[in-house]
Amino acid sequence: MKKHTILILGLPILGLLAYGAFALARTSDPVVLPPAPSAPSASAPVPGHTTPTASVTPTVTAVTPPPIPPATPTPTPTPKPTVRTFTKAELAQHASASSCYTTIEGNVYDVTSYIPLHPGGAAAIQMICGADGSVLFMGQHGGDPKPERTLESRKIGVMVSE
Ligand code: HEM
């Protein structure tokens, strides 16, 4: 082979080798990347967006109902009858037309206001003021509804033994 021929064949090979070396040098250069944009912080407000507020998870507390006490019947207070009681002596203190109490069948009546109204006369009533009028009243009016009602509306108490 002649020198001339070697030169013609060797030149392209040298060129290829030189290019390869150049390319290799380039790829080994440190690549400086631009700084990555920092991610927006969670607290920074983004225009056009509402900042989500922290959701509050409701705390469900199990409430144990208080024990129901057994139903105790409330005793209804029985109103005590305020019955006035009279003795014979107390009754005797009302033996006039100005204060006429009489007792008929154990009950005591104030018939003072009825004296001037009695259809059978005031005297018939005054006979029983301050005393037991059972015999006279029952003898005259026993079983008659009207005298009975007239008496009932004037009841003030009951007789008691000393
Ligand atoms: C506090 C007791 C008495 C009462 C509340 C009383 C009430 C009355 C009443 C309501 C009448 C009318 C009856 C009627 O319209 O149907 C009457 C009539 C009469 N009462 Fe009396 N009375 C009493 C005591 C007496 C007594 C003690 C006597 C005699 C002892 C007497 C003799 C008469 C007589 C004669 C009449 C008229 C006749 C008659 O409608 O029956 N009452 N009385």
Side-chain angles (χ1 to χ4, degrees):
M1 195 179 288
K2 292 181 182 177
K3 273 185 183 177
H4 186 78
T5 310
I6 293 167
L7 265 173
I8 290 170
L9 291 172
L11 273 172
I13 294 168
L14 274 171
L16 279 171
L17 284 172
Y19 177 77
F22 175 74
L24 194 69
R26 281 203 57 161
T27 51
S28 63
D29 281 350
V31 178
V32 181
L33 294 171
S38 61
S41 67
S43 60
V46 179
H49 289 132
T50 52
T51 307
T53 51
S55 63
V56 179
T57 308
T59 310
V60 179
T61 312
V63 179
T64 309
I68 302 165
T72 48
T74 310
T76 309
T78 310
K80 281 188 175 178
T82 51
V83 177
R84 192 175 164 189
T85 56
F86 292 88
T87 61
K88 258 187 171 180
E90 287 169 335
L91 190 72
Q93 291 170 9
H94 304 273
S96 68
S98 58
S99 183
C100 178
Y101 291 2
T102 188
T103 177
I104 297 168
E105 308 278 280
N107 295 313
V108 178
Y109 305 92
D110 181 353
V111 292
T112 309
S113 64
Y114 193 64
I115 293 172
L117 304 175
H118 184 223
I125 304 295
Q126 283 181 282
M127 282 196 293
I128 57 173
C129 290
D132 192 326
S134 299
V135 175
L136 285 174
F137 180 86
M138 295 309 283
Q140 184 69 37
H141 298 302
D144 291 346
K146 202 172 176 183
E148 296 276 355
R149 284 199 304 273
T150 305
L151 267 188
E152 204 53 41
S153 64
R154 290 170 168 80
K155 184 177 173 180
I156 57 169
V158 295
M159 289 298 292
V160 290
S161 53
E162 308 301 317

